Amino acid sequence: MEPKKLYRSRTNRMICGVCGGLGEYMNIDPTIIRLLLVLIAFTGAGILAYFIAAIIIPDEY
């Protein structure tokens, strides 16, 4: 069995596909990831973390 790899989703994306990719990787609804990101974004670090993840995580091929 091949190990799972984390990719930005091409099919389930709103902005860059980070939340969609995390949802697919963890087998949970990406909407839950998005809601958590909104809560974390109020600290200011969440927005920065999202864009860093968008740069680091490769796009799904």
Side-chain angles (χ1 to χ4, degrees), residues 19 23 26-39:
C19 294
M26 294 190 280
N27 292 325
I28 60 174
D29 189 6
T31 305
I32 296 170
I33 304 287
R34 290 182 185 109
L35 289 172
L36 290 172
L37 179 68
V38 168
L39 292 175

Side-chain angles (χ1 to χ4, degrees), residues 10-61:
R10 286 182 170 229
T11 56
N12 194 0
R13 66 172 39 188
M14 291 282 188
I15 299 174
C16 296
V18 174
C19 294
L22 284 171
E24 291 171 6
Y25 182 77
M26 294 190 280
N27 292 325
I28 60 174
D29 189 6
T31 305
I32 296 170
I33 304 287
R34 290 182 185 109
L35 289 172
L36 290 172
L37 179 68
V38 168
L39 292 175
I40 294 170
F42 285 117
T43 66
I47 297 169
L48 180 63
Y50 182 85
F51 286 111
I52 289 173
I55 293 169
I56 293 174
I57 299 172
D59 209 12
E60 184 178 36
Y61 47 85

